[in-house]
Amino acid sequence: MQILKVALAAYDLQQEATQLDWVIKVTGKMGSEVEFKLSIKPQDASLVGLHPTVVAASVNKPIAREILTIYYDTTDLRLLDAGISLRLRRVSDRWIQSVKAVATARVGLHERMEWESVVPSCHPDFTVILDPILIQLFADSKLRDSLKPIFQTKVERHEWQLNFGGGDRVELALDVGQLLVGKKHEPISEIELELKGGKKGRLFDLALELQKVIPLKLENASKAQNGYAFYRARPLSIFKPSQLKLKRSASASSAFKEIVWDCIDHLQKNQDMVLYGTDLEGLHQMRVALHRLRSAFSLFRKILGDESADVLISELRWLNEALGEARDLDVFVTQTTPTIIKQFKNHAGLLKLEQKALLAKAEAYKGLRSTLLSQRYQVFLLTLAAWLENERWCGTVDNSKEVKVFDMANAMLNKRYKQLRQRGKGVTLMHTEERHVTRISAKKLRYAAEFFATLYSSKKSTAFIRSLSQLQDCLGVLNDMTVTEKLVQKLKGTRPDRKIDEAMYIIAGWNACDVTNSLKYLEELWHVFTCKNKFWS
């Protein structure tokens, strides 16, 4: 730190640097950056400094400054491919060089490693980089010679230093300006909350307080990512649940946090596909993420208490309903009608139903996208993240944090396995409602098995989950047929139409044949599943 103090004294900026609490490390030293990003409408920017929480926690008057940031890379983006970014930032007549690792982001929270140093000019200075890996990377003279400015940001920044007591300190920065890439540009209007000390949960709490007065949107893309997108567009992708790696020695409480964070990641990663893409799997994966979330809350209910999670569970139901209508129509127009229409040679009534379904689907997606961009959805994600990070649950069992996840997993897997075996007896002879209950039991067991799989033998758990998944999928197909019948009735409307009536009989007959075949397959799958050994035994 002494090197930094000498440098600041030379610039006669010691007092200002202390006031601003710069994140400048000893030259070349690695640091950790934890910050929260929220987009804000430019017309709402003036509300930030007037917010009661900001006024009450501020330890200084807001500081305003112009900040120019230049990002360097090669024409073929070698630094980006290496997972790092190199930038030079001018602040108060000083240049600060930053090398940052690619950030992980969830619910607006960005965490990454960074190396920062004061340098004499706007050109990269590789002599101040002391990290061995970075030294090796920048030792390549061809790489150094190929580096050039590829984009820059110019913003007017207003900063507040906030102290909440208990060691929680946050720097709030409001940036309004432009991202410039050659002759192209786009506006920047965002809030950054950087943790200077204390617990990460404070960032979520502060974001929630701001959200009560100012409409904000969670932002998982950094300025650098937005700049790079002009050179290499980020393709929309489908993300499936990741493989959790729980430890037997972990507490049930810590395992719950890890599982729920994974579910949130799964939900958010597929969000852009639903908002801006065309792959229907994005919506399906968002629903899977919600089902896994609800299952996690159910599994860990004993350590969560009776009321602490009720509001969140209610919002999960609301969101699931918003996703459900569009998903049902997706299945109808992509899986149900195409085969039937082809078989019945473009029957007029079937085509009419399909057209009605496509129109209904367009409206359902319009409503869904509005939901995902709504303040209610943003508040739900923030509330869930704040509740989770701050562990705001009150267990009904003494010393709940001392309950080992391994002990809990054995008990819960046994319980859910027993429920499925009981509810699945005579599954092929059940009424639709009874099969639906069996399907839900199968789904709950599957999610529990996937959450806890790494606590046990990989070979045994994989075989068990595969068999259970096949059983659940077959039950899902049968459930889709029931949903189809209700959906067709809704699509028909109140006006008489003989052709549509014919189409409804065709679909009913088609489904009746499919049910017969699916029940035969279900009987086989049930037998295979019940012969599988429990991997947790």
Side-chain angles (χ1 to χ4, degrees):
M1 199 65 186
Q2 186 60 36
I3 297 175
L4 176 58
K5 289 181 178 178
V6 171
L8 292 174
Y11 282 96
D12 196 23
L13 291 170
Q14 179 69 60
Q15 185 174 358
E16 180 184 358
T18 301
Q19 184 182 23
L20 299 181
D21 193 17
W22 293 108
V23 194
I24 303 173
K25 284 78 183 175
V26 176
T27 302
K29 185 177 180 180
M30 179 176 68
S32 177
E33 181 182 57
V34 180
E35 64 182 16
F36 202 96
K37 291 183 180 291
L38 298 152
S39 62
I40 181 173
K41 295 178 181 178
Q43 60 267 33
D44 293 330
S46 61
L47 299 176
V48 175
L50 302 176
H51 193 284
T53 301
V54 176
V55 173
S58 292
V59 297
N60 66 292
K61 293 181 179 180
I63 299 170
R65 58 169 58 81
E66 298 287 335
I67 296 180
L68 169 66
T69 306
I70 304 171
Y71 291 84
Y72 282 78
D73 208 327
T74 63
T75 304
D76 57 353
L77 308 181
R78 287 178 62 186
L79 293 187
L80 176 64
D81 291 335
I84 63 173
S85 67
L86 172 64
R87 77 179 192 195
L88 276 294
R89 171 170 287 180
R90 187 183 66 201
V91 184
S92 300
D93 297 324
R94 291 182 305 163
W95 286 97
I96 302 168
Q97 177 175 282
S98 300
V99 183
K100 297 191 177 188
V102 172
T104 59
R106 58 188 185 189
V107 198
L109 185 71
H110 297 244
E111 298 185 72
R112 57 191 160 199
M113 303 311 297
E114 66 172 351
W115 298 259
E116 292 194 340
S117 308
V118 176
V119 293
S121 70
C122 64
H123 302 290
D125 184 350
F126 305 106
T127 64
V128 300
I129 297 175
L130 302 181
D131 180 80
I133 296 177
L134 294 178
I135 289 175
Q136 184 176 0
L137 174 67
F138 289 111
D140 185 343
S141 60
K142 290 184 179 180
L143 171 65
R144 294 199 304 270
D145 294 341
S146 299
L147 291 173
K148 64 177 185 178
I150 58 170
F151 60 88
Q152 60 182 264
T153 62
K154 291 182 178 180
V155 300
E156 181 178 350
R157 168 168 288 189
H158 290 78
E159 287 180 5
W160 293 261
Q161 301 302 318
L162 309 179
N163 192 332
F164 295 92
D168 289 350
R169 295 179 296 111
V170 176
E171 178 182 276
L172 188 160
L174 170 65
D175 289 343
V176 179
Q178 296 283 325
L179 167 67
L180 306 169
V181 186
K183 295 182 179 180
K184 300 176 182 178
H185 61 88
E186 67 176 33
I188 294 172
S189 183
E190 68 179 27
I191 290 173
E192 290 184 1
L193 308 176
E194 184 169 344
L195 188 67
K196 295 297 187 177
K199 299 177 181 178
K200 287 186 290 185
R202 174 62 64 180
L203 296 180
F204 293 107
D205 287 342
L206 176 55
L208 272 172
E209 287 300 313
L210 294 172
Q211 186 89 23
K212 291 178 181 178
V213 178
I214 310 168
L216 301 171
K217 180 177 176 291
L218 298 168
E219 183 58 73
N220 283 329
S222 66
K223 295 183 184 73
Q225 288 173 313
N226 290 330
Y228 273 119
F230 280 87
Y231 290 87
R232 186 186 295 170
R234 299 188 297 270
L236 296 174
S237 303
I238 298 298
F239 297 89
K240 294 189 176 181
S242 61
Q243 178 67 63
L244 286 163
K245 296 181 179 179
L246 302 179
K247 296 180 179 179
R248 289 191 175 191
S249 59
S251 68
S253 183
S254 64
F256 172 72
K257 285 182 68 174
E258 189 171 346
I259 288 170
V260 174
W261 272 128
D262 184 72
C263 293
I264 294 172
D265 285 342
H266 184 203
L267 179 73
Q268 277 207 297
K269 284 179 178 177
N270 288 287
Q271 181 178 297
D272 280 355
M273 181 61 77
V274 177
L275 286 171
Y276 313 113
T278 58
D279 193 328
L280 307 183
E281 183 65 15
L283 173 54
H284 176 58
Q285 289 300 322
M286 283 195 76
R287 286 201 81 198
V288 170
L290 284 178
H291 293 158
R292 294 175 75 234
L293 260 173
R294 293 177 67 180
S295 184
F297 275 90
S298 177
L299 270 174
F300 289 85
R301 189 70 187 187
K302 283 188 176 181
I303 70 166
L304 300 182
D306 296 327
E307 299 178 359
S308 66
D310 286 351
V311 173
L312 293 169
I313 293 171
S314 176
E315 289 298 271
L316 283 172
R317 293 195 189 101
W318 160 73
L319 187 55
N320 189 54
E321 289 175 4
L323 296 170
E325 182 182 1
R327 176 58 185 167
D328 290 343
L329 287 161
D330 275 346
V331 172
F332 185 74
V333 299
T334 62
Q335 299 177 25
T336 304
T337 57
T339 305
I340 302 176
I341 290 173
K342 182 179 180 181
Q343 187 66 31
F344 284 84
K345 303 185 184 303
N346 296 323
H347 182 278
L350 288 171
L351 291 174
K352 281 187 177 182
L353 272 179
E354 183 184 48
Q355 188 60 34
K356 283 175 173 284
L358 288 170
L359 291 172
K361 176 186 166 184
E363 283 300 309
Y365 264 89
K366 182 180 178 181
L368 174 56
R369 288 171 181 137
S370 178
T371 294
L372 296 180
L373 293 172
S374 70
Q375 286 299 294
R376 181 175 179 178
Y377 178 62
Q378 304 299 314
V379 171
F380 160 68
L381 288 176
L382 279 174
T383 303
L384 174 59
W387 180 86
L388 185 67
E389 187 61 36
N390 290 295
E391 299 186 10
R392 291 195 174 112
W393 52 82
C394 180
T396 56
V397 179
D398 290 339
N399 300 318
S400 61
K401 288 190 177 182
E402 297 305 316
V403 176
K404 300 300 181 185
V405 67
F406 181 66
D407 296 331
M408 179 183 172
N410 283 325
M412 293 307 301
L413 287 169
N414 275 323
K415 178 181 177 181
R416 295 205 163 177
Y417 180 76
K418 183 178 179 180
Q419 286 178 340
L420 178 56
R421 290 293 298 261
Q422 289 177 339
R423 293 171 180 173
K425 290 179 181 178
V427 67
T428 58
L429 303 175
M430 291 178 178
H431 294 298
T432 300
E433 293 78 9
E434 293 174 309
R435 269 204 310 271
H436 175 68
V437 172
T438 302
R439 182 180 69 87
I440 297 301
S441 293
K443 182 163 60 175
K444 287 183 175 181
L445 175 59
R446 176 185 174 181
Y447 292 147
E450 289 176 343
F451 290 153
F452 299 135
T454 53
L455 299 174
Y456 307 92
S457 163
S458 174
K459 184 177 180 180
K460 290 181 179 180
S461 62
T462 299
F464 182 90
I465 293 172
R466 184 187 301 115
S467 175
L468 178 57
S469 299
Q470 291 172 339
L471 176 65
Q472 182 193 342
D473 289 345
C474 186
L475 287 166
V477 169
L478 287 163
N479 185 68
D480 287 342
M481 294 176 195
T482 302
V483 172
T484 294
E485 293 175 8
K486 296 178 181 178
L487 186 59
V488 167
Q489 286 288 345
K490 185 176 180 180
L491 290 171
K492 175 187 175 183
T494 56
R495 295 181 60 183
D497 191 313
R498 184 174 61 83
K499 288 294 183 182
I500 288 184
D501 287 341
E502 288 178 5
M504 292 175 66
Y505 284 116
I506 291 172
I507 292 173
W510 186 277
N511 279 348
C513 181
D514 272 357
V515 166
T516 301
N517 294 330
S518 294
L519 287 176
K520 290 180 181 178
Y521 185 44
L522 179 61
E523 187 173 23
E524 296 175 13
L525 292 175
W526 180 255
H527 175 72
V528 171
F529 169 71
T530 53
C531 290
K532 288 286 181 185
N533 292 324
K534 298 183 292 183
F535 65 83
W536 60 93
S537 296

